[in-house]
Amino acid sequence: MSRETVSHEDGAIYEFTPDLEALATVDSGAELTIETRDSLDGAVQTESDVIESVPEEVNAATGPIALEGAQPGDVLRVEIEEIRIAEEHGRVITIDGFGLLDGDADIEAPRTRMTPVSADGETLAFDDLEVPIDPVIGTIGVAPESESYTTLVPHDHGGNLDTTDMTAGSIAYFPVFQEGAMLAMGDCKAAMADGEMCGTGAEIATEIDVTLEVIDGDAVDIDLERPLVETDDAWKTIASAETLEAACELANRDAIELLAAEHGFDTTDAYLFSSLVGGLEISQVVDPLVTVRNAVPKAHLSSPF
Amino acid sequence: MSRETVSHEDGAIYEFTPDLEALATVDSGAELTIETRDSLDGAVQTESDVIESVPEEVNAATGPIALEGAQPGDVLRVEIEEIRIAEEHGRVITIDGFGLLDGDADIEAPRTRMTPVSADGETLAFDDLEVPIDPVIGTIGVAPESESYTTLVPHDHGGNLDTTDMTAGSIAYFPVFQEGAMLAMGDCKAAMADGEMCGTGAEIATEIDVTLEVIDGDAVDIDLERPLVETDDAWKTIASAETLEAACELANRDAIELLAAEHGFDTTDAYLFSSLVGGLEISQVVDPLVTVRNAVPKAHLSSPF
């Protein structure tokens, strides 16, 4: 069975808009390989290639891919099966005006460190340290409801979520706001810390195997407003906002809604229960909006779909 | 070999001050059992016992315990060997004016839910759900440098850190600011989510087995300014501040300092490396100051002591 390939060379976007036009259209159930270029469009190939300021176009997202029959109110299910590294090195950089410690006198920006991939493909080198390769999709999302968001910004449509759980073995769920959903993804990292403090992980080109499905919104009890990710052992709501506190509130509310729907709790009991298991996690603290998730172990929550 | 017991009935504090007087004095290497009462001093025994507002005295911390010979500039090592549940139920509550979703029209405050401990001591009941018991020390700290902090507040001396890693198997390290260090702990939970969103975990009385050691500050390369916790697989800096963003900055700077000291990195390279492994984690988002940690896997960082 051959997988259809959708490459960034065929098309990529730098903005999620409500009126995206499809690069490809596939049926629900499609198995695809999505090729992505690195978030800096190949501009950094050696340590002397530094990025002076955040580029106007960054985080190219391959797509958009329309799902046949997807309608507003439906849910798009993206099973992430494998992410393969597609070049011989990643790069991790500082950019003036960007990052958690931006403006600190001890931090040099711009600086570039190249992180070569080992011969066996298992690790990156940073100086003489070996970092395990664990690829993450940084930017993944769908056409938003009404506003437009560059691929530097995360919001309810997904976008630049920079969430380590967007990795092989996970299943991501997005609200469908527009006909066809219009999925796009890119900005992958060979490795990334929760928080993405300096503003990047080890940025790298990849090939991503996914299976896409449309879930009929009429068959779902909950009203999915924001992205959700299913890992081996947890369901995690994902929310982006101007502050971490505001993102925590949104992510916790979404977790409360899932717990209340499953267990028949009122909002207060679901809130109390949410304070006992799993909990809040940081995705990233650097993009113009910041992103948080609220994990609920699968022992206490089954699929809402 | 008998362990000395220090009980909250012998003495407990509600404020960490620079001039604490010792309840007990022990030698470095002492193995103790520390008995703690629940954070609400036993005021909540049924679901009709509700807490109308945050009590003036809350989070009783058993102690203080002076370490013979501990001097400012030293480090106090607290190995947490076992935490035993010492009553038959925990309680999780909302209090008006407290908690992540405080003021939300859908959240009832005050409300109390009792969480009975199962016969085998392995789980708590919340309605018909079973929550694994995984006890956490909520408040743990030493006499601060100059300011005083009630046991509701976390800061560089520790205090109300509400950090799930303060659990059996972990080793906590605190800067010694005052002669004797003056350790105190309490406010334990039978279970708690990262974030402690409603403002409590399942608050419960416990017996904590610890081994205490003084590490000579002159023999240590780094200048420990805030608490640090060692888990099975990571070193985690811990920082508290007015906002999560500010706490993230402090925790990341501390992790950078550890990485730079070990690997000879300059600050910028340590910052870049910190963005590839482990990362930022949320401890709690509800105490008057909020608490964050920055995990660095032990694969990339050995003991700074």
Side-chain angles (χ1 to χ4, degrees):
Chain A
M1 191 169 61
S2 73
R3 280 178 180 269
E4 189 179 343
T5 295
V6 181
S7 171
H8 62 95
E9 291 178 359
D10 305 323
I13 58 170
Y14 294 96
E15 190 172 26
F16 287 93
T17 67
D19 59 353
L20 288 171
E21 287 191 22
L23 171 68
T25 299
V26 302
D27 289 329
S28 183
E31 300 181 352
L32 302 181
T33 295
I34 297 172
E35 297 179 353
T36 69
R37 59 179 176 259
D38 79 272
S39 62
L40 300 159
D41 287 342
V44 175
Q45 297 299 335
T46 75
E47 293 192 348
S48 58
D49 296 330
V50 297
I51 303 293
E52 299 282 351
S53 60
V54 178
E56 199 166 317
E57 292 195 328
V58 71
N59 298 343
T62 301
I65 299 159
L67 273 286
E68 195 74 64
Q71 294 294 330
D74 291 343
V75 171
L76 175 61
R77 179 185 193 274
V78 181
E79 184 169 355
I80 306 168
E81 287 152 327
E82 191 176 346
I83 307 177
R84 291 179 296 279
I85 298 304
E87 57 181 325
E88 289 172 0
H89 51 229
R91 65 284 286 165
V92 55
I93 69 173
T94 53
I95 304 175
D96 188 29
F98 198 60
L100 178 65
L101 302 184
D102 176 49
D104 184 301
D106 294 330
I107 303 288
E108 186 182 293
R111 181 183 290 185
T112 292
R113 293 304 307 262
M114 299 303 291
T115 56
V117 176
S118 63
D120 65 4
E122 298 289 317
T123 59
L124 295 175
F126 184 103
D127 261 24
D128 56 352
L129 300 188
E130 290 182 351
V131 175
I133 290 181
D134 191 2
V136 172
I137 305 170
T139 297
I140 180 168
V142 297
E145 187 165 16
S146 52
E147 306 267 317
S148 293
Y149 301 90
T150 75
T151 44
L152 188 63
V153 181
H155 203 257
D156 296 352
H157 69 291
N160 194 15
L161 297 171
D162 286 328
T163 292
T164 51
D165 289 307
M166 292 295 179
T167 190
S170 290
I171 303 170
Y173 300 84
F174 298 90
V176 175
F177 294 113
Q178 305 294 342
E179 198 171 315
M182 301 296 171
L183 176 71
M185 68 186 76
D187 175 33
C188 293
K189 297 98 173 53
M192 192 188 91
D194 279 319
E196 204 194 25
M197 292 75 98
C198 77
T200 73
E203 308 296 303
I204 204 159
T206 66
E207 300 170 359
I208 309 166
D209 289 347
V210 292
T211 297
L212 308 180
E213 278 179 44
V214 180
I215 299 171
D216 180 358
D218 294 336
V220 175
D221 284 340
I222 63 150
D223 179 22
L224 189 71
E225 292 181 62
R226 274 172 285 275
L228 180 67
V229 64
E230 177 184 357
T231 68
D232 272 357
D233 56 7
W235 289 89
K236 303 188 183 188
T237 60
I238 303 176
S240 303
E242 295 216 352
T243 66
L244 286 166
E245 280 78 359
C248 287
E249 286 186 31
L250 289 172
N252 186 218
R253 275 168 195 283
D254 288 348
I256 286 170
E257 192 180 333
L258 292 174
L259 286 165
E262 171 148 345
H263 299 296
F265 292 149
D266 70 4
T267 302
T268 307
D269 275 356
Y271 177 49
L272 292 166
F273 186 78
S274 79
S275 303
L276 298 182
V277 298
L280 296 171
E281 300 175 347
I282 290 177
S283 287
Q284 57 81 22
V285 298
V286 294
D287 299 329
L289 301 178
V290 296
T291 305
V292 160
R293 47 201 196 271
N294 192 150
V296 181
K298 283 185 173 175
H300 310 298
L301 191 63
S302 54
S303 175
F305 305 116
Chain B
M1 190 171 60
S2 74
R3 282 178 178 268
E4 189 179 344
T5 295
V6 181
S7 170
H8 62 94
E9 290 179 359
D10 305 322
I13 59 171
Y14 294 97
E15 190 172 25
F16 286 93
T17 68
D19 60 352
L20 289 171
E21 287 191 21
L23 171 68
T25 300
V26 301
D27 290 329
S28 183
E31 300 181 351
L32 303 180
T33 295
I34 296 172
E35 296 179 353
T36 69
R37 58 180 178 260
D38 79 272
S39 63
L40 300 159
D41 288 342
V44 175
Q45 297 299 335
T46 74
E47 295 194 345
S48 57
D49 296 330
V50 296
I51 302 292
E52 297 283 350
S53 61
V54 178
E56 198 167 319
E57 293 194 327
V58 71
N59 298 343
T62 301
I65 299 159
L67 273 286
E68 196 74 64
Q71 295 294 330
D74 291 342
V75 171
L76 175 61
R77 180 184 193 273
V78 182
E79 184 168 355
I80 306 168
E81 287 153 327
E82 191 176 345
I83 308 177
R84 293 180 294 280
I85 297 304
E87 57 181 323
E88 288 172 1
H89 52 230
R91 65 284 284 164
V92 55
I93 69 173
T94 53
I95 303 176
D96 190 28
F98 199 60
L100 178 66
L101 302 185
D102 176 49
D104 185 300
D106 295 330
I107 302 289
E108 185 182 293
R111 181 183 291 185
T112 293
R113 293 303 306 261
M114 298 304 290
T115 55
V117 176
S118 63
D120 65 6
E122 299 289 317
T123 59
L124 295 174
F126 184 103
D127 263 24
D128 56 354
L129 300 188
E130 291 184 351
V131 175
I133 289 182
D134 190 2
V136 171
I137 305 171
T139 297
I140 179 168
V142 297
E145 187 164 17
S146 52
E147 307 266 318
S148 294
Y149 301 91
T150 74
T151 45
L152 188 62
V153 180
H155 203 257
D156 296 352
H157 68 292
N160 194 15
L161 297 171
D162 286 327
T163 291
T164 51
D165 290 307
M166 293 294 179
T167 189
S170 290
I171 303 172
Y173 300 84
F174 298 89
V176 175
F177 295 113
Q178 306 294 342
E179 198 172 315
M182 302 296 171
L183 176 70
M185 68 187 76
D187 176 33
C188 294
K189 295 97 174 54
M192 191 187 90
D194 279 320
E196 204 193 25
M197 291 76 97
C198 77
T200 74
E203 309 296 303
I204 202 158
T206 66
E207 300 170 0
I208 309 167
D209 288 347
V210 292
T211 297
L212 307 181
E213 278 178 42
V214 181
I215 300 172
D216 181 358
D218 294 335
V220 175
D221 285 340
I222 62 148
D223 179 24
L224 189 72
E225 292 181 63
R226 275 174 284 276
L228 180 66
V229 65
E230 177 184 357
T231 68
D232 273 357
D233 57 5
W235 290 89
K236 303 188 183 188
T237 61
I238 302 177
S240 303
E242 294 215 353
T243 65
L244 287 167
E245 280 78 0
C248 287
E249 286 185 30
L250 290 171
N252 186 218
R253 277 168 193 283
D254 288 349
I256 286 170
E257 192 180 331
L258 293 173
L259 286 165
E262 171 149 344
H263 300 296
F265 292 150
D266 71 2
T267 302
T268 308
D269 274 357
Y271 178 48
L272 291 167
F273 186 77
S274 79
S275 303
L276 298 182
V277 299
L280 297 170
E281 300 176 347
I282 290 176
S283 287
Q284 57 81 22
V285 298
V286 294
D287 299 329
L289 300 179
V290 296
T291 305
V292 160
R293 49 200 195 273
N294 191 152
V296 181
K298 284 185 172 174
H300 310 297
L301 191 63
S302 53
S303 175
F305 305 115

